[in-house]
Amino acid sequence: MNALSDTPPEFEQTKTQKPDRVYFFGTCLIDLFYPDAGLSAIQLIEREGVNVIFPQAQSCCGQPPYNSGYREEAIQVAKVQMDALHESIPVVVPSGSCAGMMKFHYPELFKNHLRAKQAQAFSERIIEWSAFLHRVLQIKLEDLGQPTRVALHTSCSARREMGVTEDGLALLRQLQQVDLAEPERASECCGFGGTFSVKQPEIAASMAADKCNAIKQTGAEMLVSGDCGCLMNLEGTLKKSAEYSSAHTIDSTHLAQFIWQRVSK
């Protein structure tokens, strides 16, 4: 696949194949910090008549050890997810970053491993949440909210690895009362990058400040993102900036939670 493609060919094949049931992979950050985002993502799927299965045995996608060079530890974590999500049904992931790990890095991680075929088959069932709603469910949204101006941040993994930028935008464009703002240099990284923000905090903070300045210049009242890592990074930077300047901060939320709040009032 072309890493810069916005339309992975394997997703085109599933465009009209609506499943009866799917697995939902909640991600660590949603589990620990943004549970309402996960519930909203599930509610939007179930509203379309699809049964959502959430195995309690699931944990992390394995990115932290994988990105830090701990391959054996990453394999052990990945095995838990493949066992917990073992049925041959789609695995919907509300994070481009975690979806990219499971879809593209599991096959490489398990290359020449006894479970290589299982890892390949597992990876082919992974689909990012906004792509599932837009391409597979072809969901129709009725906006019940008040007029607002919103900026969407698409993570590097969602944009370049999963190719789902247009899916998030397409969902937001269905909301009639939402004015969609595009910050300058929207494709640039926010500086989170998983362990990058821990290993290089000064560079990461500078990148986040640039990103937040661009978002503020759009006049957006709300920042939304499909990845909680980016959201946490930008949310903290916006709040810190507001404290120093005594200005009102821009609210932020996961894309799923924002959409659910707009359509369920």
Side-chain angles (χ1 to χ4, degrees):
M1 185 194 76
N2 181 348
L4 298 179
S5 170
D6 277 350
T7 309
E10 59 269 29
F11 286 175
E12 281 295 299
Q13 295 172 6
T14 63
K15 188 172 182 178
T16 59
Q17 298 173 1
K18 178 181 175 180
D20 294 329
R21 57 202 182 106
V22 298
Y23 282 128
F24 187 82
F25 182 75
T27 83
C28 301
L29 293 182
I30 280 183
D31 183 33
L32 296 173
F33 299 106
Y34 296 91
D36 288 342
L39 291 173
S40 297
I42 290 172
Q43 287 168 314
L44 281 163
I45 296 172
E46 290 183 333
R47 198 184 74 153
E48 299 303 304
V50 178
N51 184 28
V52 177
I53 304 170
F54 186 91
Q56 293 296 321
Q58 65 177 279
S59 57
C60 171
C61 69
Q63 271 194 88
Y66 179 76
N67 290 348
S68 301
Y70 294 97
R71 294 180 62 85
E72 185 54 40
E73 288 80 358
I75 286 174
Q76 296 307 317
V77 175
K79 284 179 180 177
V80 173
Q81 314 324 311
M82 293 195 297
D83 290 343
L85 311 166
H86 60 87
E87 286 191 54
S88 185
I89 57 177
V91 180
V92 181
V93 185
S95 160
S97 179
C98 300
M101 174 67 193
M102 300 167 91
K103 188 169 191 64
F104 297 111
H105 299 290
Y106 276 21
E108 186 274 331
L109 196 60
F110 284 88
K111 187 178 182 180
N112 300 322
H113 191 280
L114 289 175
R115 298 177 69 167
K117 287 186 178 179
Q118 182 189 7
Q120 180 61 43
F122 179 79
S123 73
E124 293 170 1
R125 294 191 281 118
I126 301 296
I127 184 166
E128 191 272 344
W129 176 83
S130 66
F132 183 67
L133 260 64
H134 179 224
R135 302 184 200 182
V136 180
L137 300 184
Q138 299 183 39
I139 192 170
K140 303 301 179 188
L141 303 172
E142 181 184 2
D143 191 1
L144 304 177
Q146 296 297 314
T148 187
R149 186 168 173 81
V150 171
L152 172 69
H153 171 70
T154 305
S155 74
C156 297
S157 295
R159 180 183 297 275
R160 299 182 176 87
E161 195 165 46
M162 296 301 293
V164 298
T165 304
E166 286 302 318
D167 295 288
L169 291 171
L171 294 175
L172 288 173
R173 287 183 185 125
Q174 288 193 40
L175 302 173
Q176 296 86 350
Q177 296 279 64
V178 170
D179 180 16
L180 193 55
E182 182 177 7
E184 289 188 4
R185 304 189 302 278
S187 64
E188 291 185 3
C189 176
C190 74
F192 178 65
T195 55
F196 174 80
S197 59
V198 176
K199 295 174 180 176
Q200 302 288 346
E202 293 83 6
I203 298 174
S206 180
M207 293 169 71
D210 287 346
K211 177 67 69 175
C212 288
N213 285 334
I215 292 168
K216 286 188 285 188
Q217 287 171 8
T218 67
E221 299 172 89
M222 175 73 75
L223 166 67
V224 299
S225 179
D227 269 86
C228 289
C230 301
L231 196 60
M232 184 178 294
N233 189 35
L234 295 175
E235 185 177 72
T237 303
L238 286 168
K239 287 181 177 177
K240 188 174 182 179
S241 173
E243 287 175 1
Y244 284 137
S245 64
S246 300
H248 178 68
T249 189
I250 298 174
D251 293 329
S252 58
T253 189
H254 190 279
L255 177 62
Q257 189 171 356
F258 177 74
I259 292 176
W260 177 249
Q261 289 173 343
R262 302 288 304 189
V263 303
S264 62
K265 290 181 178 177

